[in-house]
């Protein structure tokens, strides 16, 4: 896959904005395109290698936060050094995507912590800059340690995942129990889980759910893991649902001007977050 955006474009194709004409949706279903091959290849790797063991190993490494420390704004600019080479005409750089998401949330009059969440929600993609392969950074997220749902995109690729034949992990509940709650579950590793751990002491719980589960499409679109969620998770998922359209569909015709918005976002960062972020 040449670009992180290939996965995100695919998410948009699967979940087009309500009201988009059917013709456009048909164009999206062009399964023979080279672009589609790279999406398949991305999911083949993601589903093969996102094992319970991978998640524990990545947590043991990255949750040390010993890679880099810098002011938050500098970290956002650092993220922006991730260059997208797949579609230079239409794709946004990372900072533009984050500002557009946040500005759309702000324009709808939501609380400032919600705006801040929109602004930072993809910062965890700095994992790519630490040499992590894309299948370990982006992609739909899902629980590991129990049976992979067939509601996850390209479920057939899970047959290559060793956990699929490991009887500790391949039953409906695996290492978990009925409605044990998402906080007791290991999600596949990626930018969502990583940023959750970076921000968990600073943001309201609603914001933390948005950050941690914003790529958990098989749950928020298909309710594939209701047997693991508890009542509190369901309550909090209303916020994930509220956040998701901003992430997917905030494309403003007039790109935000970073220098004009920087003071507002610097203030928001200062209100909620420590001066530096440890990555
Ligand atoms: Fe994301
Ligand atoms: Fe995003």
């Amino acid at each position: 896959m040449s670009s992180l955006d290939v996965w995100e474009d695919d998410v948009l194709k699967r979940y087009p904005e309500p009201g988009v004409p059917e013709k456009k949706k048909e164009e999206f279903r062009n399964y023979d395109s080279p672009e589609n091959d790279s999406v398949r290849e991305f999911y083949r790797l993601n589903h093969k290698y996102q094992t319970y063991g991978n998640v524990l190993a990545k947590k043991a490494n990255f949750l040390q936060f010993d890679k880099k420390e810098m002011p938050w704004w500098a970290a956002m600019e650092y993220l922006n050094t991730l260059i997208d080479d797949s579609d230079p005409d239409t794709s946004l750089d990372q900072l533009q995507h984050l500002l557009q998401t946040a500005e759309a949330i702000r324009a709808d009059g939501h609380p400032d912590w919600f705006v801040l969440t929109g602004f930072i929600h993809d910062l965890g993609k700095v994992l790519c800059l630490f040499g992590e392969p894309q299948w370990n950074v982006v992609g739909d997220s899902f629980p590991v340690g129990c049976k992979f749902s067939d509601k996850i995109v390209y479920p057939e690729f899970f047959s290559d995942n060793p956990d699929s034949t490991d009887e500790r992990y391949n039953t409906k509940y695996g290492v978990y129990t009925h409605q044990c709650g998402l906080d007791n579950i290991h999600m596949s590793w990626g930018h969502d889980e990583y940023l959750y751990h970076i921000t968990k002491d600073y943001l309201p719980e609603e914001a933390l759910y948005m950050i941690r589960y914003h790529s958990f499409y098989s749950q928020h679109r298909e309710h594939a893991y209701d047997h693991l969620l508890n009542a509190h998770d369901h309550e909090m998922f209303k916020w994930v649902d509220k956040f998701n359209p901003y992430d997917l569909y905030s494309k403003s015709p007039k790109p935000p001007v970073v220098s004009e918005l920087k003071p507002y976002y610097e203030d928001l960062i200062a209100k909620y977050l420590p001066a530096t972020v440890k990555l």
Side-chain angles (χ1 to χ4, degrees):
M1 185 167 76
S2 60
S3 157
L4 291 177
D5 285 3
V6 171
W7 167 66
E8 270 150 1
D9 290 347
D10 180 60
V11 171
L12 258 183
K13 287 169 196 171
R14 274 188 279 141
Y15 306 116
E17 188 165 12
V20 169
E22 198 53 42
K23 189 167 168 282
K24 268 204 152 171
K25 291 181 193 169
E26 277 168 28
E27 284 165 16
F28 285 146
R29 303 220 169 86
N30 181 1
Y31 286 112
D32 297 326
S33 70
E35 193 184 311
N36 196 62
D37 291 346
S38 58
V39 169
R40 282 179 60 85
E41 179 58 9
F42 167 74
Y43 278 110
R44 191 183 68 75
L45 296 171
N46 175 275
H47 291 4
K48 180 175 180 178
Y49 294 119
Q50 284 285 356
T51 59
Y52 191 74
N54 173 69
V55 171
L56 296 189
K58 292 299 154 187
K59 285 182 168 176
N61 178 0
F62 285 102
L63 303 188
Q64 304 281 326
F65 307 112
D66 57 359
K67 309 287 179 285
K68 253 180 195 304
E69 180 172 1
M70 60 184 112
W72 275 85
W73 186 269
M76 304 303 287
E77 288 178 334
Y78 177 58
L79 173 69
N80 218 29
T81 61
L82 264 179
I83 300 296
D84 172 38
D85 55 3
S86 72
D87 196 358
D89 294 333
T90 57
S91 54
L92 298 172
D93 64 31
Q94 298 295 326
L95 197 53
Q96 285 290 331
H97 165 62
L98 292 169
L99 281 171
Q100 294 209 1
T101 303
E103 285 293 287
I105 294 166
R106 187 180 171 196
D108 285 349
H110 290 298
D112 62 357
W113 54 260
F114 193 162
V115 179
L116 178 61
T117 301
F119 181 57
I120 64 173
H121 77 274
D122 281 338
L123 178 62
K125 289 181 185 172
V126 294
L127 287 168
C128 282
L129 296 167
F130 300 144
E132 285 302 301
Q134 293 185 351
W135 60 262
N136 234 344
V137 179
V138 294
D140 292 42
S141 63
F142 47 81
V144 294
C146 61
K147 191 179 191 319
F148 302 112
S149 169
D150 59 11
K151 298 210 168 93
I152 300 166
V153 64
Y154 292 115
E156 63 273 23
F157 289 138
F158 284 117
S159 60
D160 289 339
N161 186 308
D163 288 0
S164 292
T165 50
D166 188 321
E167 58 194 24
R168 291 171 296 174
Y169 308 132
N170 68 359
T171 61
K172 180 177 178 185
Y173 290 99
V175 299
Y176 309 119
T177 55
H178 185 65
Q179 296 179 350
C180 62
L182 286 177
D183 202 33
N184 293 308
I185 282 168
H186 290 289
M187 296 293 289
S188 54
W189 180 248
H191 71 289
D192 317 57
E193 181 71 15
Y194 181 45
L195 185 65
Y196 161 73
H197 286 279
I198 292 172
T199 53
K200 68 184 165 63
D201 295 332
Y202 309 110
L203 294 176
E205 192 182 17
E206 292 84 348
L208 297 174
Y209 265 79
M210 295 176 198
I211 288 170
R212 196 175 196 181
Y213 303 113
H214 76 265
S215 307
F216 192 6
Y217 290 102
S218 61
Q219 180 57 34
H220 43 90
R221 299 290 180 134
E222 321 272 351
H223 303 283
Y225 290 94
D226 277 355
H227 55 291
L228 297 179
L229 272 69
N230 61 26
H232 186 63
D233 293 325
H234 283 292
E235 200 49 44
M236 286 290 132
F237 254 66
K238 291 175 187 165
W239 291 92
V240 181
D241 294 340
K242 216 176 272 197
F243 172 76
N244 218 250
Y246 292 109
D247 186 17
L248 291 180
Y249 311 127
S250 299
K251 290 256 155 79
S252 94
K254 193 169 143 275
V257 179
V258 177
S259 58
E260 283 173 12
L261 294 170
K262 185 176 174 185
Y264 170 80
Y265 286 95
E266 287 268 48
D267 283 353
L268 257 192
I269 289 166
K271 179 170 172 186
Y272 289 97
L273 300 168
T276 59
V277 54
K278 290 195 183 77
L279 298 169

